[in-house]
Amino acid sequence: MYEDFYHFKEKPFTLQPDPDFLYLGKKHGIAYTMLEYGVTNGSPITVISGEIGSGKTTLIRHLLNQLDEDVAIGLISNTHYAFGELLSWVCSAFSIEQGGKDKVSLYQAFVDFMLEEFAKGKRTVLIVDEAQNMDVNTLEELRVLSNINADKDQLLQLILVGQPELRDTLRLPELEQLSQRVSVDFHLNALDADETDAYIQHRLKVAGGNIDLFEPDARQSIYEHSDGVPRIINNLCETALIYGFASQATKIDAGIINELIEDKIKNGGGLLVNRKRKKQPAKFETHVSRFKN
């Protein structure tokens, strides 16, 4: 549609996580470094949290593309309780044959798998995305799995990725044993104004377009209406390109952004325009020493 008009090789602002478009600004760069450090240094549990649409899953996809063959990696990308037993999903993540096995047999199959990988000199890493959906009992099951050792060597490393609610859950007294095993953690905040500016230009460049297609006032307006959340930035930029193409505009200015925002509001508020998450209660701050940002 607008790709040819603006000379893109591909759409620059899709909503699907795409590691090819990963923007490693300061915050995302630190978050990725923490992930990489956790894996390479054998951290028992790594926790990465962030607001909805902050780019957590894109970081995970990038990590998966960078890991060496000495890591056996499993990914659970949906943790809703309706999807069944945790152990079954863990085995599925590592392509372990289940064949109607009961829970005890699945547990033993997973232990055998980790021992086989360990004998090959490979580490077993389980990544759980959207981990904020897991209840206390399920998280405790994960802790038990992460306790499995071969002599002095730990067989399983966990990476838990989720929204801020995950950190609240991990601070519960019932999960103190699990939280004490978290050796690497980072909270991914939204982009600031300068990072939003650079983020937009980065994605335009990767897509093969003109990095100055969006005027400075348009990029500033996008920041103000998105609060620097990458997914909302993408949504606004994608819509702006459609509006721009429809009017045959060679540049995207603040007028186009304001027009589409007004249209979204008229149609019921649009998709996540300038919606801020409620502040955490005061008690959230009193426990921050356990999980440093």
Side-chain angles (χ1 to χ4, degrees):
M1 188 176 177
Y2 60 72
E3 293 97 309
D4 291 338
F5 183 75
Y6 289 118
H7 309 294
F8 293 126
K9 296 180 297 184
E10 56 185 314
K11 290 183 176 182
F13 297 105
T14 61
L15 297 182
Q16 295 299 320
D18 187 344
D20 290 340
F21 281 90
L22 178 63
Y23 168 69
L24 285 176
K26 181 178 180 180
K27 299 179 181 69
H28 287 74
I30 294 174
Y32 181 73
T33 299
M34 299 291 274
L35 274 171
E36 194 173 43
Y37 176 86
V39 171
T40 57
N41 287 272
S43 299
I45 302 175
T46 297
V47 175
I48 300 294
S49 61
E51 299 289 345
I52 297 171
S54 60
K56 303 181 296 298
T57 299
T58 304
L59 283 174
I60 292 299
R61 298 295 179 182
H62 181 65
L63 177 69
L64 292 175
N65 289 341
Q66 302 303 313
L67 290 176
D68 296 327
E69 294 183 357
D70 65 344
V71 179
I73 194 79
L75 172 65
I76 298 176
S77 57
N78 196 315
T79 56
H80 194 276
Y81 68 90
F83 279 71
E85 292 286 342
L86 170 68
L87 198 53
S88 178
W89 276 100
V90 170
C91 289
S92 179
F94 290 102
S95 300
I96 298 171
E97 177 63 38
Q98 300 186 48
K101 294 184 177 74
D102 59 21
K103 195 167 184 176
V104 173
S105 299
L106 286 177
Y107 175 82
Q108 189 58 53
F110 182 51
V111 172
D112 292 342
F113 168 81
M114 291 191 292
L115 287 171
E116 290 172 6
E117 297 302 306
F118 179 75
K120 298 174 188 175
K122 300 179 71 172
R123 290 168 291 127
T124 301
V125 178
L126 175 64
I127 301 174
V128 182
D129 200 0
E130 301 295 343
Q132 76 280 349
N133 293 329
M134 306 178 90
D135 60 22
V136 170
N137 291 334
T138 305
L139 286 166
E140 178 61 15
E141 281 189 68
L142 278 178
R143 182 193 68 80
V144 173
L145 290 178
S146 71
N147 278 344
I148 302 171
N149 300 318
D151 296 326
K152 296 182 180 180
D153 295 294
Q154 180 178 311
L155 293 182
L156 178 66
Q157 293 175 246
L158 293 176
I159 298 177
L160 304 180
V161 183
Q163 296 168 27
E165 296 90 328
L166 171 63
R167 299 168 72 86
D168 294 338
T169 302
L170 292 175
R171 293 188 183 103
L172 293 174
E174 305 94 295
L175 292 174
E176 184 172 359
Q177 290 187 71
L178 187 151
S179 64
Q180 288 179 356
R181 291 176 59 82
V182 176
S183 54
V184 176
D185 77 281
F186 185 77
H187 181 75
L188 185 60
N189 292 311
L191 305 177
D192 61 26
D194 290 338
E195 289 174 317
T196 299
D197 202 75
Y199 173 86
I200 293 171
Q201 292 189 312
H202 169 77
R203 294 190 73 106
L204 291 169
K205 181 179 179 179
V206 173
N210 176 9
I211 65 169
D212 294 319
L213 174 59
F214 284 71
E215 299 277 12
D217 60 355
R219 299 196 295 267
Q220 177 63 29
S221 182
I222 288 168
Y223 169 70
E224 292 171 357
H225 289 292
S226 69
D227 295 326
V229 177
R231 186 179 297 165
I232 305 178
I233 295 171
N234 286 3
N235 183 285
L236 294 176
C237 287
E238 170 75 4
T239 308
L241 289 172
I242 297 171
Y243 274 58
F245 172 72
S247 61
Q248 297 293 283
T250 57
K251 289 290 187 76
I252 306 297
D253 59 20
I256 291 176
I257 306 302
N258 293 334
E259 180 185 356
L260 73 87
I261 293 295
E262 288 176 5
D263 287 347
K264 285 178 178 289
I265 293 172
K266 288 177 184 177
N267 290 311
L271 296 175
L272 300 175
V273 176
N274 203 27
R275 295 180 187 173
K276 297 175 182 279
R277 178 182 291 273
K278 292 180 180 179
K279 291 183 178 180
Q280 299 290 344
K283 66 177 182 180
F284 179 86
E285 299 299 332
T286 65
H287 298 284
V288 77
S289 60
R290 186 181 293 177
F291 293 99
K292 299 176 182 177
N293 288 344

